[in-house]
Amino acid sequence: MKKLISIVVPCYNEEEVLGKFYDEVVRVAREMAEVNFEFVFVDDGSSDSTLAKLEGLAEQDERVRFVSFSRNFGKEGALLAGLEYAKGDYVATMDVDLQDPPSLLPEMYATIQEGYDCVGTRRVNRDGEPPIRSFFARIFYKLINKMSKIEMVDGARDYRLMTRQMVDAIIAMREYNRYSKGLFSFVGFKTKWIEFRHVDRAAGETHWSFWKLFVYAIEGICAFSTVPLVIAAVLGLLFCFIAFVMIVVIIVKTLVFGDAASGWPSLICVVLMMGGLQLLALGVIGQYLAKTYLETKRRPVYIVRMTDEDLRRKDKKS
Ligand code: UDP
Ligand code: MG
């Protein structure tokens, strides 16, 4: 029996590259005659003609399956849906913009045959990216790797090939705040990294602004580390200690030298700093509380509006 590889692809307003992506993967799939392929496209509530294009592909190629969301739920939701719908013995996740070169697939498949559970890819350079963004990305990876027990590989892409066993482990994690890079690493298993050089988007535009990335980074840290809470507590303790020492010093000073009412500016500085620190600590706690709040609601990560099965059923009836 030939093994089946599922290609899971989140798509959000990707009408421009969808066709190119499909052609490219089909070309690579033809070279890999030893396996069967299926596509699992996830239309993440696109407002352009992405869904129509997917329907077209599904009609002409029975290997193409798709799931279409009722609105935009974000890439993390799309990835989960894709993994859940995929039937393959192996599952690959990749972006539709051809920044994850499909030509790596044969090498990835060969590697996983050597006894790995997962083959991940990482970019070794960050060309075509604003320098300031690369700078913050580096800081983020340094920070999160210090703060979390989970290892996050710098430059790792969401382009990987996994065994069924690993996919099932990921699906079993039902959390609402999904930070996939962390989840992949959390489940463990033997992962081999393949390196490649950065490729520019084939067409269309990135969906990530600097601000969105910043918020995403904070989410990543909150999802996989509670160190910020410890830092808040330690800072609080430290300042209590300093205050205690100062009180002693001031009492002694007043008793010895009498009270001259000076030192107003420094007082304001201390007040401002303490106020700032308290707000910061509250903010940190608030972040975690908010996550817990969302998590306890147990809302679905995505809602499906239609799938290729709906389409195929309709075709049969008419
Ligand atoms: N994507 C998605 N939902 C979103 C945003 C993005 O499914 O809300 C998909 C998008 O279609 C693409 C992938 O996630 O296949 C990566 O997006 P993009 O290329 O914009 O990110 P970048 O490569 O710039 O990090
Ligand atoms: Mg991209």
Side-chain angles (χ1 to χ4, degrees):
M1 262 282 278
K2 274 192 188 179
K3 297 276 189 210
L4 177 66
I5 298 186
S6 304
I7 309 273
V8 167
V9 200
C11 311
Y12 178 48
N13 293 341
E14 302 280 11
E15 56 181 8
E16 284 173 65
V17 279
L18 198 58
K20 270 190 214 149
F21 172 83
Y22 170 78
D23 293 342
E24 181 68 17
V25 176
V26 166
R27 197 181 58 74
V28 174
R30 221 173 281 134
E31 290 166 15
M32 297 172 68
E34 72 278 20
V35 274
N36 288 325
F37 275 84
E38 72 163 0
F39 292 86
V40 182
F41 289 102
V42 184
D43 164 37
D44 187 8
S46 300
S47 51
D48 64 358
S49 67
T50 300
L51 178 59
K53 290 237 157 82
L54 287 178
E55 290 178 347
L57 286 178
E59 258 159 22
Q60 73 180 54
D61 184 348
E62 59 171 22
R63 291 174 300 177
V64 173
R65 301 171 58 218
F66 67 84
V67 186
S68 177
F69 288 176
S70 59
R71 66 168 168 85
N72 179 246
F73 279 89
K75 187 181 174 187
E76 302 293 340
L79 272 178
L80 175 67
L83 293 180
E84 283 183 331
Y85 274 78
K87 293 179 182 155
D89 304 296
Y90 299 96
V91 179
T93 54
M94 58 202 296
D95 287 359
V96 73
D97 55 14
L98 291 174
Q99 281 186 311
D100 301 331
S103 51
L104 288 178
L105 278 171
E107 184 186 346
M108 288 163 81
Y109 183 67
T111 311
I112 215 165
Q113 294 300 310
E114 289 168 14
Y116 289 95
D117 304 298
C118 175
V119 180
T121 59
R122 56 183 291 259
R123 310 188 276 184
V124 282
N125 62 333
R126 289 178 169 269
D127 300 353
E129 192 182 61
I132 180 104
R133 185 173 290 191
S134 313
F135 173 72
F136 277 106
R138 291 242 159 75
I139 292 189
F140 167 72
Y141 280 106
K142 281 230 173 74
L143 261 182
I144 196 157
N145 281 322
K146 283 245 162 64
M147 293 207 277
S148 168
K149 288 196 191 95
I150 303 289
E151 200 209 345
M152 314 261 178
V153 178
D154 189 359
R157 308 226 9 126
D158 292 339
Y159 178 24
R160 35 175 87 228
L161 182 68
M162 292 166 280
T163 58
R164 169 61 30 200
Q165 194 187 11
M166 177 156 169
V167 172
D168 287 342
I170 287 169
I171 296 175
M173 283 189 285
R174 304 305 317 174
E175 60 203 83
Y176 179 78
N177 298 288
R178 301 187 75 79
Y179 184 74
S180 287
K181 281 190 206 312
L183 295 179
F184 285 136
S185 155
F186 178 88
V187 295
F189 292 103
K190 269 174 73 180
T191 301
K192 163 115 184 200
W193 293 95
I194 288 185
E195 298 183 343
F196 71 96
R197 295 192 67 77
H198 171 83
V199 192
D200 273 333
R201 224 174 199 286
E205 259 168 43
T206 174
H207 302 91
W208 294 91
S209 63
F210 184 80
W211 177 244
K212 265 190 174 171
L213 276 175
F214 183 72
V215 172
Y216 187 59
I218 299 225
E219 272 177 14
I221 291 178
C222 286
F224 282 92
S225 166
T226 47
V227 171
L229 290 173
V230 178
I231 295 178
V234 168
L235 271 184
L237 261 179
L238 182 73
F239 276 89
C240 281
F241 178 73
I242 294 177
F244 179 73
V245 173
M246 273 168 71
I247 288 170
V248 173
V249 169
I250 287 169
I251 290 178
V252 171
K253 223 174 127 187
T254 314
L255 287 179
V256 177
F257 300 104
D259 180 26
S262 62
W264 186 82
S266 52
L267 190 68
I268 288 299
C269 289
V270 172
V271 169
L272 277 182
M273 176 154 172
M274 290 314 294
L277 275 176
Q278 278 168 6
L279 281 182
L280 181 72
L282 266 184
V284 170
I285 296 169
Q287 272 294 319
Y288 286 93
L289 189 64
K291 297 282 171 222
T292 317
Y293 175 59
L294 286 175
E295 214 64 68
T296 52
K297 289 191 188 198
R298 301 198 148 269
R299 285 185 179 157
V301 180
Y302 60 87
I303 295 169
V304 174
R305 196 177 78 86
M306 76 173 286
T307 67
D308 60 303
E309 273 161 39
D310 299 324
L311 187 77
R312 295 199 160 106
R313 218 173 293 135
K314 225 183 335 178
D315 281 355
K316 256 186 217 149
K317 268 191 203 144
S318 58

